[in-house]
Amino acid sequence: MAKSPEMKLAVFGRAGVGKSALVVRFLTRRFIWEYDPTLESTYRHQATIDDEVVTMEILDTAGQLLKVEDTQQKESHMRWGDGFVIVYDITDRGSFDEVAPLRGLLEEVKKPKNVPLVLVGNKADLDHARQVGTEEGERLAAEMACAFYECSACADEGGMVAEAFHELCRELRRR
Ligand code: GDP
Ligand code: MG
């Protein structure tokens, strides 16, 4: 049997948007309320997506305090990855504003352009505190020509978190 393809996925987004919570949810189907915000980890995960076994290596990034170091680290993570999840928090407008610059850096680091990407608006369970409309997320994703999901790492009834990761794998497979 052919060796299953291995995909390197990196998760980006402002501190506190729920990157670690989303990755842990995807890997364990559980929610962990407090996760060390400075911790950066990679995880290996196997899943069957559309009857094909896929091995993923998932990098849950965490920023650096110093701006120069932060950018250098981001760039090296971007060089490492094949596909990317960019996360913002629907209750944090600032985190949404950081999506386009992140995408810009990705396009700069990864040439050719059209980097495999999905956009995730996390914390959809906190609708009462929403600062970013669903249509805004949809519009931004359309501009970036990528799939878009509103998710909640803590209340993931529909399995949207896994759906976002799986869609990224499908996108990579189409390349
Ligand atoms: P990271 O810095 O992007 O890795 O963010 P974390 O995963 O550490 O999450 C930051 C905070 O947001 C933690 O207090 C989490 O409990 C909380 N959080 C993460 N995802 C969700 C979510 O979907 N809903 C809610 N209500 N809180 C979340
Ligand atoms: Mg984290």
Side-chain angles (χ1 to χ4, degrees):
M1 202 172 91
K3 195 171 171 289
S4 70
E6 184 166 309
M7 298 172 174
K8 295 193 175 81
L9 314 181
V11 184
F12 283 98
R14 170 187 269 197
V17 296
K19 297 178 296 296
S20 301
L22 285 167
V23 170
V24 170
R25 159 66 74 181
F26 175 51
L27 297 177
T28 69
R29 301 207 177 94
R30 286 194 175 80
F31 181 65
I32 293 172
W33 274 104
E34 289 310 326
Y35 203 84
D36 184 344
T38 63
L39 206 70
E40 188 158 271
S41 303
T42 55
Y43 304 87
R44 285 177 78 81
H45 179 67
Q46 265 199 351
T48 305
I49 304 172
D50 311 328
D51 298 324
E52 194 188 337
V53 178
V54 175
T55 305
M56 291 163 241
E57 213 174 320
I58 301 173
L59 169 62
D60 170 24
T61 68
Q64 295 287 318
L65 246 35
L66 284 173
K67 182 133 176 80
V68 180
E69 287 180 12
D70 188 65
T71 305
Q72 283 170 352
Q73 193 187 53
K74 275 200 186 78
E75 287 173 354
S76 93
H77 290 337
M78 286 172 176
R79 277 191 292 273
W80 173 87
D82 302 316
F84 302 88
V85 181
I86 299 185
V87 184
Y88 66 92
D89 169 355
I90 68 153
T91 71
D92 175 9
R93 166 69 54 183
S95 72
F96 184 69
D97 295 338
E98 285 184 24
V99 171
L102 269 173
R103 164 51 161 43
L105 190 60
L106 256 179
E107 299 277 281
E108 215 173 281
V109 172
K110 310 291 271 189
K111 292 165 182 152
K113 313 232 162 185
N114 298 320
V115 182
L117 178 71
V118 297
L119 179 64
V120 170
N122 189 38
K123 308 197 187 180
D125 54 294
L126 301 179
D127 200 53
H128 59 278
R130 181 187 282 276
Q131 292 182 356
V132 183
T134 305
E135 336 70 59
E136 292 179 89
E138 286 169 349
R139 211 175 307 134
L140 182 57
E143 278 168 26
M144 306 196 304
C146 71
F148 170 62
Y149 299 90
E150 273 195 358
C151 292
S152 166
C154 79
D156 185 37
E157 288 94 4
M160 287 304 266
V161 174
E163 190 48 39
F165 279 92
H166 288 185
E167 183 54 30
L168 181 56
C169 291
R170 287 192 195 99
E171 180 60 33
L172 277 162
R173 209 157 51 190
R174 284 193 285 265
R175 303 288 170 125

